[in-house]
Amino acid sequence: MINIGGASGGAWTLPPLAEAVVDLDAIAHNTRVLAGRTEADLLAVVKADAFGHGFLEVARTALASGARWLGVTSQAEALALRVAGIEAPVLSWLHAPDEDFGPAVAARVDLSVASVAHLDAVVAAAERVGRRADVHLKVDTGLSRNGATEDDWPELVRLAHGQEAAGRVRVRGIWSHLAGSGLPGDPLDGAQLRRFNRALATARRLGLNPEVAHLAGSAALVGRPETHFDLVRPGIALYGVEPLPGRSVGLRPAMTLRSRVILTKRVPAGTGIAYGHDYVAPVATTLALVPVGYADGVPRSAAGRAEVWIGGRRHPVAGRVTMDQIVVDVGDLPVRTGDEVLLFGRGDRGEPTVVDWARWAGTNPHEIFTGIGARVIRRYLPIRSGRRSGGRERVRV
Ligand SMILES: Cc1ncc(COP(=O)(O)O)c(C=O)c1O
């Protein structure tokens, strides 16, 4: 339900038109499965609102289920975890060098350092706050995105070591991120692994002794044990998407995206549907109107391929995805207003999955999850084992 406080003190409770139901038991299960595949500690990647799943609920569930660390990209996300009372180690990794890092240092948030300019800014914050900053030096081993190049690495290490000796920082971690598939034998990952080992050796030779080295995300966690080092950083796998195609490790999709039919109509053969009439009903059929569109994260680019689950069967999305609505061709199925519509779910009954939507839209599940709009209510199913209860309501999905 959506609760809206009225200006005059009144309030309304409205049923949601769409909701993302997040099964915290699946998050707990996935955390345990992933933690069980490695000797390394697990950092749960909860950036971008835990890939749209709700970062506090996911963070608490993951920590209660075997994760030791949390990973985010911004100080704002890291501080929100601290404000919520989460004390676990948090690494934040994407910053501009002109940020004031004081709040993160004061809140004991570990900061990634990718350049001398970033190091200087963190050192300045540590001096201001009067507290040593914990940093993870990032080396670019081949993704060519964030991190110091191999050429700049020795200089960054030397300066960081100097600041460590002066008590302003502790180099707690050395890390990098992979560009490849995570499949055993992928030469891209192999080359990065060799560069990472060289960077680690350089750091140790120049006097650093980091507590954790880390390189692997979901795919390498599943596919390449030699990349695990001391810490692994799964994101998408936590949410139940198998990171290696054809190599299931028994993950459970955590999110179900559902809506309901708000109007049905019978139309004759030849009826054009939605803007441009890209879809024309081939025979007389029933159309079901579903109040979700691209403003809710239903990708416009999936039109022509996408299907949804109504009444125990898949049906095609007819015509274009519009901002707030889709039309579904349900044929002769006796669909009624109020019937449940699953856009994606676990897939075990035949309903579409987030992986299907990613394929239909020509993207990855990460983008589908993070694109789910603010109008979509998040609802949480609690952990069923009774170890923790992360949500109040239970709904059938
Ligand atoms: C630095 C870093 N580590 C780990 C992850 C998690 O990756 P994945 O979702 O493939 O597990 C991400 C996600 O984008 C990332 O940016």
Side-chain angles (χ1 to χ4, degrees):
M1 290 291 168
I2 306 169
N3 296 313
I4 301 171
S8 57
W12 300 271
T13 301
L14 307 174
L17 292 179
E19 60 181 11
V21 182
V22 178
D23 180 359
L24 295 177
D25 203 55
I27 301 282
H29 166 85
N30 297 337
T31 309
R32 287 194 296 269
V33 166
L34 296 169
R37 295 187 67 85
T38 181
E39 296 292 305
D41 280 339
L42 200 125
L43 176 151
V45 178
V46 296
K47 64 178 180 166
D49 199 23
F51 291 34
H53 288 65
F55 77 114
L56 286 181
E57 290 81 359
V58 170
R60 290 192 178 113
T61 303
L63 289 172
S65 310
R68 257 206 74 208
W69 289 68
L70 298 171
V72 294
T73 49
S74 69
Q75 283 201 82
E77 292 172 314
L79 294 171
L81 291 168
R82 288 286 185 256
V83 166
I86 291 175
E87 293 293 323
V90 174
L91 172 63
S92 177
W93 63 67
L94 191 66
H95 313 109
D98 62 355
E99 276 179 48
D100 174 3
F101 291 105
V105 174
R108 292 166 294 98
V109 170
D110 290 25
L111 292 163
S112 175
V113 162
S115 73
V116 173
H118 287 87
L119 180 65
D120 289 345
V122 173
V123 166
E127 284 177 325
R128 262 196 321 279
V129 170
R131 193 175 189 290
R132 191 186 62 177
D134 286 328
V135 300
H136 296 226
L137 300 186
K138 185 162 196 185
V139 56
D140 177 5
T141 52
L143 186 59
S144 307
R145 212 173 58 173
N146 205 357
T149 62
E150 274 193 296
D151 285 351
D152 293 340
W153 181 245
E155 166 79 346
L156 182 61
V157 167
R158 252 185 231 105
L159 291 170
H161 183 239
Q163 297 295 355
E164 190 168 71
R168 296 188 196 97
V169 302
R170 170 174 63 144
V171 180
R172 194 175 184 189
I174 287 183
W175 76 301
S176 190
H177 192 44
L178 293 170
S181 65
L183 286 167
D186 182 326
L188 209 54
D189 290 338
Q192 284 194 256
L193 179 60
R194 283 191 293 283
R195 287 192 202 112
F196 189 61
N197 276 317
R198 274 206 302 273
L200 269 178
T202 302
R204 291 195 176 115
R205 184 167 43 78
L206 294 175
L208 294 180
N209 185 21
E211 178 188 320
V212 286
H214 48 112
L215 182 62
S218 296
L221 162 52
V222 169
R224 293 198 73 144
E226 71 275 29
T227 63
H228 290 188
F229 295 93
D230 308 300
L231 192 62
V232 290
R233 306 185 309 268
I236 197 69
L238 277 183
Y239 306 103
V241 175
E242 296 286 349
L244 296 185
R247 283 196 47 186
S248 169
V249 294
L251 303 175
R252 289 192 355 224
M255 185 189 285
T256 295
L257 184 62
R258 69 207 292 252
S259 181
R260 56 200 162 91
V261 175
I262 59 165
L263 181 73
T264 63
K265 61 182 70 167
R266 194 73 192 161
V267 297
T271 302
I273 296 157
Y275 297 127
H277 284 187
D278 291 352
Y279 185 93
V280 176
V283 292
T285 193
T286 300
L287 302 179
L289 182 66
V290 183
V292 287
Y294 56 78
D296 305 294
V298 181
R300 203 169 171 273
S301 53
R305 291 177 290 278
E307 298 171 335
V308 299
W309 183 258
I310 306 176
R313 281 177 41 196
R314 289 187 181 209
H315 306 274
V317 173
R320 293 185 197 170
V321 173
T322 63
M323 188 182 288
D324 316 293
Q325 324 174 26
I326 53 174
V327 176
V328 181
D329 183 347
V330 296
D332 294 329
L333 198 74
V335 168
R336 283 202 295 267
T337 296
D339 282 358
E340 180 187 57
V341 179
L342 291 187
L343 284 99
F344 62 78
R346 287 192 300 264
D348 51 358
R349 286 168 288 177
E351 74 271 35
T353 63
V354 71
V355 176
D356 290 326
W357 276 93
R359 194 180 61 253
W360 293 330
T363 183
N364 60 6
H366 309 55
E367 189 179 353
I368 301 291
F369 283 143
T370 55
I372 294 174
R375 290 193 301 210
V376 178
I377 302 299
R378 268 63 170 180
R379 191 202 295 238
Y380 294 93
L381 302 184
I383 297 180
R384 284 184 280 282
S385 61
R387 270 191 291 270
R388 275 191 65 85
S389 177
R392 259 164 250 104
E393 288 176 278
R394 177 178 287 271
V395 290
R396 206 186 64 76
V397 291

